[in-house]
């Protein structure tokens, strides 16, 4: 896009320089060709000669000024067009930058939402696990109570050892 704008700018500059050189050549040709007016010296009409001379001078001085003014105007228009293109380019870049920032912001928000959902799921799994552990122990106790006459839980080695020691003491005292 930038290359295209630069090419257009250079073409405009070349066109303006070409027009300027044509105008300069035309001006030189007009200066080299003296106005060919045939004057007869008449003592009764000296004012006419002066009047024609003034008109040619005014015409010759106005025409290059008009051409130069036109060239300057064209250069100013080209510069204004280039500035307008630059402003458009900057505005487009700002829009693209804002769009990219918006996309980045959305991605960050989506990532935060995903992280929050993952954390919620992990917490829910931990709660379910914690709730399942007491229920598991309670079910083991209930099963142990059903298998044991005295309500002993023999699932643990320490508990079994205590039960054995207690039974030996009971047997020595009472048997």
């Amino acid at each position: 896009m930038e290359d295209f704008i630069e090419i257009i700018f250079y073409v405009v500059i070349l066109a303006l320089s070409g027009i300027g050189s044509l105008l300069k050549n035309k001006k030189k040709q007009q200066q080299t060709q003296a106005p060919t007016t045939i004057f007869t010296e008449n003592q009764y009409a000296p004012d006419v000669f002066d009047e024609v001379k003034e008109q040619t001078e005014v015409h010759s001085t106005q025409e290059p000024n008009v051409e130069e003014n036109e060239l300057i105007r064209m250069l100013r228009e080209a510069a204004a067009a280039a500035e307008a293109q630059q402003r458009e380019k900057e505005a487009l870049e700002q829009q693209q930058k804002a769009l990219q920032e918006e996309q980045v912001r959305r991605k960050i928000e989506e990532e935060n939402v995903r992280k929050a959902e993952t954390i919620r799921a992990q917490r829910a799994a931990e709660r379910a696990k914690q709730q399942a552990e007491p229920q598991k122990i309670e079910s083991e106790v209930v099963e142990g109570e059903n298998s044991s006459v005295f309500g002993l839980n023999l699932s643990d080695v320490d508990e079994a050892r205590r039960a054995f020691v207690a039974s030996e003491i009971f047997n020595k005292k009472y048997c």
Side-chain angles (χ1 to χ4, degrees), residues 21-32:
S21 64
L22 287 175
L23 293 175
K24 285 180 182 179
N25 289 339
K26 188 175 181 182
K27 182 179 175 182
K28 286 180 182 178
Q29 286 177 355
Q30 287 178 353
Q31 287 177 353
T32 57

Side-chain angles (χ1 to χ4, degrees), residues 84-98:
Q85 286 179 346
Q86 183 67 23
R87 284 191 299 259
E88 288 176 8
K89 178 184 168 187
E90 290 173 358
L92 181 62
E93 288 175 354
Q94 288 177 351
Q95 287 176 350
Q96 289 176 349
K97 188 175 182 180

Side-chain angles (χ1 to χ4, degrees), residues 44-152:
Y44 300 110
D47 294 334
V48 173
F49 177 72
D50 291 337
E51 190 175 307
V52 169
K53 187 176 178 183
E54 287 175 7
Q55 286 179 356
T56 57
E57 286 177 359
V58 169
H59 180 68
S60 65
T61 57
Q62 284 180 353
E63 191 170 311
N65 287 340
V66 170
E67 290 174 358
E68 288 178 12
N69 289 340
E70 195 171 316
L71 181 61
I72 291 170
R73 181 186 56 81
M74 290 171 56
L75 287 172
R76 285 185 183 155
E77 288 176 358
E83 288 176 13
Q85 286 179 346
Q86 183 67 23
R87 284 191 299 259
E88 288 176 8
K89 178 184 168 187
E90 290 173 358
L92 181 62
E93 288 175 354
Q94 288 177 351
Q95 287 176 350
Q96 289 176 349
K97 188 175 182 180
L99 185 64
Q100 289 175 349
E101 289 174 355
E102 180 68 22
Q103 289 175 348
V104 167
R105 188 185 58 78
R106 285 183 185 168
K107 286 180 181 180
I108 290 171
E109 286 179 3
E110 290 174 0
E111 188 66 29
N112 289 340
V113 167
R114 280 190 219 123
K115 286 179 181 178
E117 289 175 0
T118 306
I119 291 171
R120 283 187 204 122
Q122 288 175 350
R123 287 182 183 166
E126 287 176 9
R127 274 190 243 124
K129 190 175 182 182
Q130 288 173 354
Q131 289 175 355
E133 286 178 5
Q135 290 175 355
K136 190 176 187 182
I137 292 172
E138 289 174 9
S139 66
E140 288 177 1
V141 169
V142 170
E143 288 176 8
E145 287 177 359
N146 292 340
S147 64
S148 170
V149 177
F150 300 106
L152 297 173

